[in-house]
Amino acid sequence: MYPDRVVSGMRPTGALHLGHYHGALKNWVRLQSELPCLFFVADWHALTTHYDDPSQIETSTWDMLIDWLAAGVDPSQATLFIQSRVPEHAELHLLLSMATPLGWLERVPTYKDQQEKLADRDLATYGFLGYPLLQAADVLIYRASQVPVGDDQVPHVEMMREIARRFNHLYGKEKGFEEKAQEAVKKLGSKRAKLYNELRTQFQQEGSEDALGQAKAMLDDAQNLSMIDRERLFGFLEGSRKLILTEPQALLTESSRLPGLDGQKMSKSYGNAIALREDKDVVTKKIRTMPTDPARVRRTDPGNPDKCPVWQFHVVYTDDATREWVTKGCRSAGIGCLECKQPVIDAIIKEQEPMHERAQQYLDDPSLVRAIVADGCDHARKLAQDTMRDVREAMGLSYN
Ligand code: SF4
């Protein structure tokens, strides 16, 4: 199999907020030390919905990159790049579009949802319909094994898998594949070759997933195979096709959902957000003035944390003992709301201190961010070009 790789992107929406941090970035920071990760600014995606006003894209891109770095995304561990600087994404998008049934795109749940939500925009465009396919190209071009997503994005990953499968089925036919695969089987050595053939038969004749799993594990361990032979043997296990594109898995992330100050989804446009690098005094003011359980009109009125947006912040930011203190104190009117909010204020300020420090060096010298991105784009492009060589060849466009 191709090496494990994680790919994830974010649209350039400008300065990020704590909802982005707890919903995605914190998870990126964890993943980067576990697997090779590629994180990209999805600037073309921004154009799918904001094609009529691209004025903010460039500034937002650099602001967002500084936020990523501030949050702890580490360029020595992960590759950071900008989608439009790797034009191979567009080429793969175009080539995939040739064989992607229109219905697959029309039935993506977010297609109609977004059109309804963004009713003030004319999204009856070719680019908007095709954005899940561009997303598929973003991931498939790196042969990513995993894509970190929330529940709502699972259908997109499912579609990426279908697209990869269809591509392999249509274009994985290699001249003399059967013979080349048989040659590759021999390279496993006689014992392993015998086992491979047995497991392949068990899978193909009886549909044994166990046998398939065992055979895949054996191929993963086989040191003496070239990458291309390994892929042939993976393809041969399941049929008579080479696996050119990898089917990625959705990596469901257990991220904490931090709502906005009013309990709705945190969003800059709703005016209920705390920026990732918010000033301390602003954090204090925002939390001190955020709404609480509406039943607590006076200090002496008991409240209910379940009806209070501050409680959601406690869930993310404070420990069990503090939460117990809140629950008891709120329900018995033993504590006041300002008192209750203080541990949240302290925790946010503490969380943001290192972010401010990390961001400062990039604000002082923006060329550092430019250099990180230039390196990231180079690295991403090399990986993308490897895949595109195989894709072009498979689609009869290699002209060697
Ligand atoms: S005491 Fe805390 S949980 Fe209760 S209403 Fe006030 S802010 Fe909300």
Side-chain angles (χ1 to χ4, degrees), residues 296-315:
R296 276 205 95 178
V297 182
R298 287 177 295 270
R299 165 71 176 75
T300 47
D301 294 333
N304 179 355
D306 296 337
K307 296 186 175 157
C308 175
V310 179
W311 174 248
Q312 294 306 315
F313 279 67
H314 274 288
V315 170

Side-chain angles (χ1 to χ4, degrees), residues 84-104:
S84 65
R85 299 269 186 97
V86 184
E88 285 77 8
H89 287 230
E91 185 185 356
L92 185 58
H93 177 214
L94 173 84
L95 294 179
L96 293 177
S97 77
M98 303 299 172
T100 302
L102 205 50
W104 288 14

Side-chain angles (χ1 to χ4, degrees), residues 291-293 296 303-305 308-311 314 326 329-331 335-338 340-341:
T292 59
D293 175 1
R296 276 205 95 178
N304 179 355
C308 175
V310 179
W311 174 248
H314 274 288
V326 171
C330 178
R331 292 186 196 280
I335 58 169
C337 290
L338 284 179
C340 171
K341 289 170 173 180

